Amino acid sequence: MKKETIIPRSISGLLMFLFCIVLSIIIIYPLLWIIMSSFKDYMSIYQDVWGLPGEWHFDNYVRAWTRGISQYFVNSIIVTICTLIGVLFIASTLAFGVTQLRGKVGYIVFLAVMVCLLLSPQVCVLPLFILLRSVGLNKTYLAMILPYIAFRLPMSVMLIRSFFVGISKEMEEAAIMDGATLWQIFYKIYVPLSKPILSTVTIMTIYYAWNEFLFATILVDSSSLRTIPVGLMVFRDGLMTEWGVVMAGMVISCIPLIIVYLCMSRNFIRGLTAGSVKG
């Protein structure tokens, strides 16, 4: 009986392991190919597509940075940081407020927030463009920051609120008996205990704001405000034959996301799992 139960489990485990290996290769190999190509010149890329660089052209990174990637990089950092601050503050306070509402009122407010998930960003492009141009924001960073915050709030509120629901009410009641206000309860109890889900929201928000292309292309009129995704498209068109420099620009654009994930990966999965099953 033991052999009959062990063998199928070992086979299923082996198949799952092989599947993970294949999936890892599919995901990692394109990134490695881009990194290798970023150190090649034009002829090396076309004559030896899959091989290692015969001569390592580190100057591709210098040329990419000086030819415009630096400005796109700075713009993306400004937009991403402002979006992250806005999403974390508004989503966490809104989620806390929803958890404090008792009875049907809290569920109605939460349902109203969740309905916003049904709103497609593509449908809102034209109304947003007209609105931002009418108030004169189409040539500022706010043309990207405000829509990014608005479209990230529903999912962020859902995750944070689901985590807040699992926090012990006894701690909150004890704090109230000690004379703590709701604001003190929020930033002294809820926020410290919610680091896993806040890390998850942070990674998801940074990934979205850093890579968003549609709004950054249409809603912003000024070429000096281009972010990394839009800038790479223009950068590619201006360097049609210098693919090594283009690849170097792509590698530079990936570095912040990799650093953020490595710093917060410990809490990412734990926070996403907890926020998806509670409440």
Side-chain angles (χ1 to χ4, degrees), residues 96-201:
F96 177 72
V98 170
T99 58
Q100 296 302 310
L101 294 174
R102 308 299 180 184
K104 295 183 179 179
V105 178
Y107 286 103
I108 293 174
V109 175
F110 181 65
L111 181 62
V113 175
M114 291 300 98
V115 168
C116 297
L117 287 172
L118 303 176
L119 189 62
S120 174
Q122 290 78 9
V123 176
C124 301
V125 170
L126 182 58
L128 278 174
F129 176 77
I130 296 174
L131 176 62
L132 293 171
R133 188 175 60 177
S134 64
V135 296
L137 295 178
N138 57 319
K139 294 184 179 181
T140 66
Y141 289 116
L142 292 176
M144 293 175 284
I145 295 172
L146 294 180
Y148 290 175
I149 293 175
F151 283 101
R152 292 311 304 170
L153 279 180
M155 178 62 70
S156 302
V157 171
M158 182 187 70
L159 293 175
I160 298 175
R161 180 260 178 191
S162 299
F163 196 92
F164 281 177
V165 169
I167 296 178
S168 174
K169 294 297 181 182
E170 285 75 11
M171 299 177 61
E172 182 178 341
E173 293 172 357
I176 293 175
M177 293 179 64
D178 290 338
T181 63
L182 284 177
W183 180 252
Q184 290 174 330
I185 293 173
F186 169 69
Y187 75 83
K188 288 186 177 180
I189 297 178
Y190 277 76
V191 171
L193 293 175
S194 304
K195 288 182 180 179
I197 196 63
L198 293 179
S199 298
T200 300
V201 173

